[in-house]
Amino acid sequence: MTFATLGLIEPLLRALETLGYQTPTPVQAQAIPAVLAGRDLMAAAQTGTGKTAGFALPLLQLLTMEGPKVAANSARALILCPTRELAEQVHASVAEYAQHLPLTTYAVYGGVSINPQMMKLRKGVDILVATPGRLIDLFRQNALKLNQLQTLVLDEADRMLDLGFSEELANIYRMLPKKRQTLLFSATFSDDIRLLAGQMLNDPLSIEVSPRNVAANTVKQWVVPVDKKRKPELFVHLMRKGRWKQVLVFAKTRNGVDALVDKLQGLGINADGIHGDKPQATRQRALDRFKTSEVQILVATDVAARGLDIEDLPLVVNFDLPIVAEDYIHRIGRTGRAGNTGEAISLVCADEVNMLSAIEMLTRQTLTRKMEADFEPEHRVPDTDASGQVVKKPKKLKKPKTSGGGGKRNLGKWVDSGDVAPAEPSIKPVRKVPVFNTGPRKKK
Ligand code: AMP
């Protein structure tokens, strides 16, 4: 199969040739004809499978072939993304695919001044990539009208709900014209997402190119059990031993990111961090420098986990496990992309056993544990497996004689997630009920 046999027009084929795309990926093979046929879409695709081109290529073609010229302060297609970084990245891809087409594209997001965005929108843009909050601001300030909108794309829809955007989505839903095409993309599909899809989509075609909630099998994954307080030391040890050159590291909290970056920099290691407290320009600069290998270790909270496309990223390290199990799939999806192999290593302490169990259940696999000599934990990580079982009575280990270290509280038992540090405050891990959900909320 080729892109030409999928019915794409010549200017798009030319752009793909320049980019070196020869064969459509499975999600592209299914999505492109369906979108061209005008169908609504509900697509579950693994991260790194080429889903951006899966929606962007047919969307660009439809906008070129059909519909009126874009009016002032209007957009003909809207792509909603959960984070600024993803919005930038999706926009960059769309602009590349559109390079030979007479269409305009633009990205808007928060954390930067709204005025230049308002100016840019004056003439209207064919494709607008946006994060939900800024889109609503622009709409409320009359800088953007949506009555010309032909197509709405919800990219990483589950993440938008995870980040607490359900109210924003419900507001945007009310701003949209009834007659439109809607494409919903997500790496994972929860009940809340299906609910959202039920509201927003019209007779959607379901595309599922990989088993639900399974991470790319090109990623080799394992777990290193360790005591919480020794994680930084273990990280540095593994880094030196494995001669890691480019590593994306995930920590749970903003403070956690800062502490690890400080520690690494203190050891003369080339590290930088990104999280929600940092200004957008700083975040983007750190990411750009990481992409060009000027920075060796990039430590991030989950805000950086989604959709970031870093060419040939060989390794992801979960310094902390994510509170939301689905985030594990998104995190490790930063490696092993577009058929490359990658590795994902998780440093897991006893406190995190419930999260480990949730991840194994979600991904339907028992993660291999590899003990690192001299780092065997005093607080044993209880056994887990893909069935969601946690062996609740781990062997009681002898209390270490040395004082301090916080060993007493958690000695020989696992603690539930109520005992772990909260996620970074601006990110709301608890999903709010979408306001258009009238029924009772299902307990997870
Ligand atoms: P995505 O899942 O959209 O983030 O895409 C992951 C990576 O795969 C990006 O670097 C794309 O440029 C690349 N890609 C997407 N489709 C293809 C294709 N058909 N052939 C080769 N590379 C692709």
Side-chain angles (χ1 to χ4, degrees):
M1 189 190 297
T2 63
F3 284 104
T5 55
L6 290 178
L8 292 180
I9 52 177
E10 192 276 334
L12 287 172
L13 296 177
R14 214 164 359 125
L16 294 176
E17 204 176 313
T18 317
L19 292 170
Y21 292 13
Q22 286 168 354
T23 320
T25 65
V27 69
Q28 291 162 3
Q30 292 187 56
I32 291 170
V35 178
L36 287 177
R39 291 291 302 264
D40 277 7
L41 214 64
M42 172 154 160
Q46 285 172 286
T47 52
T49 50
K51 66 187 165 64
T52 314
F55 64 75
L57 293 169
L59 178 60
L60 288 165
Q61 177 151 335
L62 290 181
L63 292 170
T64 307
M65 313 289 281
E66 296 168 13
K69 199 169 167 300
V70 70
N73 291 107
S74 296
R76 295 171 63 207
L78 174 63
I79 303 172
L80 281 180
C81 298
T83 65
R84 303 157 188 179
E85 284 84 0
L86 188 59
E88 269 295 347
Q89 187 177 293
V90 166
H91 176 250
S93 297
V94 170
E96 275 185 324
Y97 304 142
Q99 60 185 281
H100 303 299
L101 295 173
L103 296 173
T104 50
T105 65
Y106 189 49
V108 293
Y109 40 79
V112 293
S113 168
I114 199 168
N115 292 334
Q117 298 178 349
M118 295 172 86
M119 300 271 281
K120 179 81 187 187
L121 287 173
R122 274 192 193 156
K123 283 188 180 164
V125 289
D126 290 295
I127 298 194
L128 183 65
V129 187
T131 51
R134 181 51 58 97
L135 180 89
I136 292 173
D137 284 351
L138 287 162
F139 184 84
R140 292 201 173 137
Q141 299 197 37
N142 292 324
L144 179 68
K145 289 177 278 190
L146 291 172
N147 46 341
Q148 252 199 341
L149 195 84
Q150 290 173 223
T151 309
L152 169 72
V153 181
L154 298 163
D155 193 16
E156 310 271 10
D158 54 346
R159 183 58 170 179
M160 286 198 257
L161 294 191
D162 285 346
L163 291 177
F165 283 134
S166 57
E167 264 173 45
E168 282 84 349
L169 288 181
N171 282 333
I172 292 169
Y173 175 64
R174 286 192 284 268
M175 289 153 32
L176 300 171
K178 291 265 169 308
K179 193 172 170 295
R180 58 163 202 276
Q181 186 178 25
T182 307
L183 316 174
L184 188 149
F185 280 77
S186 185
T188 50
F189 268 78
S190 62
D191 293 343
D192 284 347
I193 285 295
R194 289 179 192 279
L195 194 73
L196 179 76
Q199 294 283 337
M200 289 237 187
L201 305 182
N202 174 25
D203 184 25
L205 187 77
S206 277
I207 291 184
E208 203 163 336
V209 293
S210 56
R212 268 181 77 185
N213 297 339
V214 174
N217 56 16
T218 48
V219 181
K220 204 171 134 203
Q221 305 159 55
W222 75 89
V223 163
V224 186
V226 62
D227 284 333
K228 189 191 266 178
K229 61 180 187 286
R230 295 198 70 198
K231 280 189 179 187
E233 203 188 329
L234 172 64
F235 179 83
V236 174
H237 165 79
L238 291 173
M239 190 190 118
R240 291 190 170 141
K241 187 174 143 190
R243 294 171 197 276
W244 295 344
K245 293 209 166 48
Q246 194 192 25
V247 196
L248 181 59
V249 185
F250 286 101
K252 198 163 49 195
T253 64
R254 298 168 185 199
N255 286 344
V257 169
D258 289 340
L260 184 59
V261 170
D262 284 350
K263 162 109 189 164
L264 296 175
Q265 287 178 345
L267 292 169
I269 295 165
N270 187 355
D272 205 345
I274 54 174
H275 56 60
D277 263 354
K278 300 206 174 199
Q280 181 57 22
T282 314
R283 280 159 65 173
Q284 194 63 47
R285 194 165 53 243
L287 187 63
D288 290 344
R289 292 181 66 225
F290 181 63
K291 283 185 178 183
T292 55
S293 299
E294 278 170 76
V295 164
Q296 184 188 0
I297 313 275
L298 186 66
V299 190
T301 52
D302 282 292
V303 81
R306 300 295 288 238
L308 299 184
D309 183 29
I310 301 158
E311 225 168 289
D312 295 332
L313 182 63
L315 177 62
V316 166
V317 172
N318 292 310
F319 188 81
D320 303 307
L321 287 184
I323 290 176
V324 180
E326 276 100 345
D327 281 343
Y328 176 83
I329 296 175
H330 297 299
R331 287 177 175 194
I332 73 164
R334 302 310 106 212
T335 180
R337 288 164 84 75
N340 292 324
T341 54
E343 286 181 335
I345 304 173
S346 302
L347 313 187
V348 178
C349 63
D351 287 11
E352 294 173 305
V353 68
N354 281 350
M355 295 173 228
L356 177 61
S357 169
I359 288 165
E360 291 183 334
M361 203 161 77
L362 181 75
T363 59
R364 301 191 202 113
Q365 61 182 335
T366 306
L367 293 170
T368 307
R369 296 186 183 200
K370 290 188 188 176
M371 284 290 181
E372 190 62 31
D374 299 330
F375 286 91
E376 294 88 350
E378 284 171 7
H379 309 294
R380 189 174 159 270
V381 182
D383 292 338
T384 51
D385 62 32
S387 70
Q389 294 286 315
V390 175
V391 181
K392 292 195 178 182
K393 284 188 186 153
K395 203 172 77 189
K396 268 217 163 186
L397 295 176
K398 257 189 156 177
K399 194 167 147 187
K401 286 202 176 87
T402 49
S403 62
K408 194 173 167 197
R409 193 172 62 102
N410 300 336
L411 191 74
K413 73 176 179 99
W414 56 277
V415 290
D416 66 30
S417 52
D419 285 354
V420 302
E424 56 172 17
S426 79
I427 292 183
K428 304 161 202 156
V430 180
R431 288 177 191 172
K432 284 195 264 171
V433 186
V435 297
F436 35 76
N437 171 16
T438 48
R441 177 143 163 72
K442 242 182 156 179
K443 226 179 160 180
K444 290 259 157 118

